[in-house]
């Protein structure tokens, strides 16, 4: 316990150093008192009940007690510091980023600087959602790279398996009529063979000129394709890459951070993401002109663009966009920055906890299935990453139920719906991707072209989503929660399959 509490004390000190606030001394004293009480405390008791929510993006496996030191370190302390930061902003009337006249209280700029450095991009700009970040990214690419090309002449490709905010963002940016959905692989990544086939078909038809193409690549559920192949395709066809890293920040490929491959990348800090500000996102780039466009689009006016510190593009570039860019008023608030900043100091540890607990969950489920019946573990298939070069962030679980011999079923397995209801009754927010009402199923995207929103339009994607179940996990899950989840999975499997 002493060693654990010492680590927590060290984490608190790191947080305070990141904030640079003298006012945090009072919090430090309270934290020391809290640590002293932890030394006298017993180990965490029995789990509490989870939230009743069923949606896989707002539900989780949370059953931990308030005394859980992992939860305290990775969730509660950042939350308390965030609340303290917010109170300070209220007192100083610095809720808007441009009101932050004192550098210590410009939490939003600190967060932008962190993510730019973390991902490996020159610039980052915080906005009010990951979806609007994608839209701004597309509009910016059009403005900077295709200024003389009509939108109808620019082809946009994107994943057929992703959250509906991604295709929606393409529509919002004006690319609804030229959006082409690309099939998903069994590993739930974009199918690069299908992507290249579609590019060749478009070029052969003459519908789109060489180079007038954008790939909006979504790392849905942290699933990362072979980025060497992606970059080869982009280079071969002179295609611009926008990375939707809403589920992918913290992930890497061959040692390079996801979000650093494209001309634009975006993240989300919406609820249940690795970093949670309720709503919010960022758009990142290395391009001066794009950053200028993003700053003015987000809602900078008059001379406020100069208040972005190291995230400010050169003046001669900024002035090209100052009077010619529509103000969409989509800035993130400094209040959200105040919530975000404490979480950044524990983000790496959150990733480590996620990955460790995911490995524990897989091992525990396999062991319990084999105890149930030797060989039965092959009926629950935890979907792996597509390539060993992927550095994952397992903040969610995707598993596929298979036939008794371990082969993939051609139809939905009997008992799946009953299994899901039973798991949901046990307070697990698990869902199936094949449900037409699931926002991650392309069949629910009826606002797109009708001929592309049919089951047979994307047969591989439809097949690869069959019998695949999805559950978000928490950064402060422990072996207690994971063992309970594994037991519930196996018990419900036994009852319904």
């Amino acid at each position: 316990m002493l060693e654990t509490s010492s680590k927590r004390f060290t984490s608190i000190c790191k947080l305070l150093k990141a904030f640079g606030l003298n006012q945090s001394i009072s919090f430090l004293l309270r934290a020391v008192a809290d640590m002293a009480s932890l030394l006298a405390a017993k180990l965490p008791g029995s789990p509490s009940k989870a939230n009743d929510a069923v949606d896989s993006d707002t539900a989780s496996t949370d059953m931990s007690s308030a005394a859980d030191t992992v939860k305290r370190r990775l969730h509660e302390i950042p939350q308390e510091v965030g609340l303290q930061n917010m109170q300070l902003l209220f007192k100083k009337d610095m809720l808007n980023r441009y009101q932050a006249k004192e550098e210590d209280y410009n939490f939003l700029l600190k967060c932008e600087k962190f993510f730019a450095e973390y991902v490996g991009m020159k610039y980052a700009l915080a906005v009010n959602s990951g979806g609007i970040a994608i839209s701004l990214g597309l509009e910016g690419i059009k403005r900077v790279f295709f200024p003389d090309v009509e939108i109808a002449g620019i082809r946009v490709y994107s994943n057929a398996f992703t959250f509906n905010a991604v295709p929606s963002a393409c529509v919002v940016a004006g690319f609804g009529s030229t959006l082409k959905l690309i099939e998903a692989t069994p590993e739930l990544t974009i199918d690069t063979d299908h992507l290249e086939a579609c590019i060749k078909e478009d070029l052969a038809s003459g519908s789109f000129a060489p180079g007038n193409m954008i790939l909006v690549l979504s790392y849905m559920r942290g699933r990362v394709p072979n980025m060497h192949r992606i970059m080869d395709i982009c280079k071969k066809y002179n295609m611009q890459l926008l990375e939707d890293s809403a589920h992918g920040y913290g992930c890497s490929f061959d040692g390079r951070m996801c979000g650093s491959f494209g001309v634009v990348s975006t993240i989300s800090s919406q609820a249940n993401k690795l970093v949670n500000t309720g709503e919010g996102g960022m758009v990142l780039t290395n391009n001066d002109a794009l950053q200028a466009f993003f700053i003015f689009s987000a809602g900078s006016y008059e001379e406020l663009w100069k208040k972005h510190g190291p995230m400010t593009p050169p003046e001669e570039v900024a002035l090209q966009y100052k009077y010619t860019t529509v103000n969409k008023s989509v800035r993130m608030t400094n209040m959200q920055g105040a919530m975000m900043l404490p979480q950044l100091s524990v983000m790496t540890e959150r990733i480590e906890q996620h990955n460790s607990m995911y490995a524990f969950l897989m091992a525990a489920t396999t062991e319990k299935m084999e105890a149930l019946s030797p060989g039965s573990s092959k009926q629950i298939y935890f979907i792996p990453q597509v390539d060993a070069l992927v550095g994952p962030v397992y903040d969610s679980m995707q598993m596929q139920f298979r036939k008794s011999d371990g082969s993939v079923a051609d139809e939905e397995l009997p008992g799946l719906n009953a299994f899901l209801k039973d798991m949901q009754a046990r307070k697990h927010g698990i869902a199936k991707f094949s449900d037409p009402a699931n926002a991650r199923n392309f069949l629910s995207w009826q606002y797109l072209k009708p001929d592309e929103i049919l089951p047979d339009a994307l047969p591989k994607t439809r097949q690869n989503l069959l019998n695949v179940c999805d559950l978000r996990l928490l950064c402060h899950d422990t072996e207690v929660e994971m063992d309970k989840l594994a037991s519930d999975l196996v018990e419900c499997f036994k009852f319904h399959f």
Side-chain angles (χ1 to χ4, degrees), residues 265-305:
S265 69
T266 66
I267 66 170
S268 172
S269 58
Q270 189 257 357
N272 227 350
K273 298 297 191 298
L274 190 59
V275 172
N276 176 12
T277 60
E279 299 288 352
M282 286 193 191
V283 57
L284 300 94
T285 186
N286 288 321
N287 187 285
D288 295 342
L290 283 171
Q291 177 69 351
F293 176 82
F294 297 151
I295 286 174
F296 291 112
S297 293
S300 182
Y301 54 92
E302 296 172 351
E303 300 303 302
L304 295 177
W305 62 273

Side-chain angles (χ1 to χ4, degrees), residues 42-62:
K42 296 181 180 179
L43 290 173
S46 58
S48 62
K49 291 185 178 181
N51 191 293
D52 290 341
V54 170
D55 182 81
S56 59
D57 270 336
T58 56
S60 62
T61 59
D62 186 15

Side-chain angles (χ1 to χ4, degrees), residues 7-19 28:
K7 288 181 179 178
R8 295 179 56 234
F9 184 80
T10 301
S11 296
I12 296 168
C13 292
K14 289 180 179 178
L15 288 169
L16 297 175
K17 183 178 180 181
F19 307 145
L28 176 60

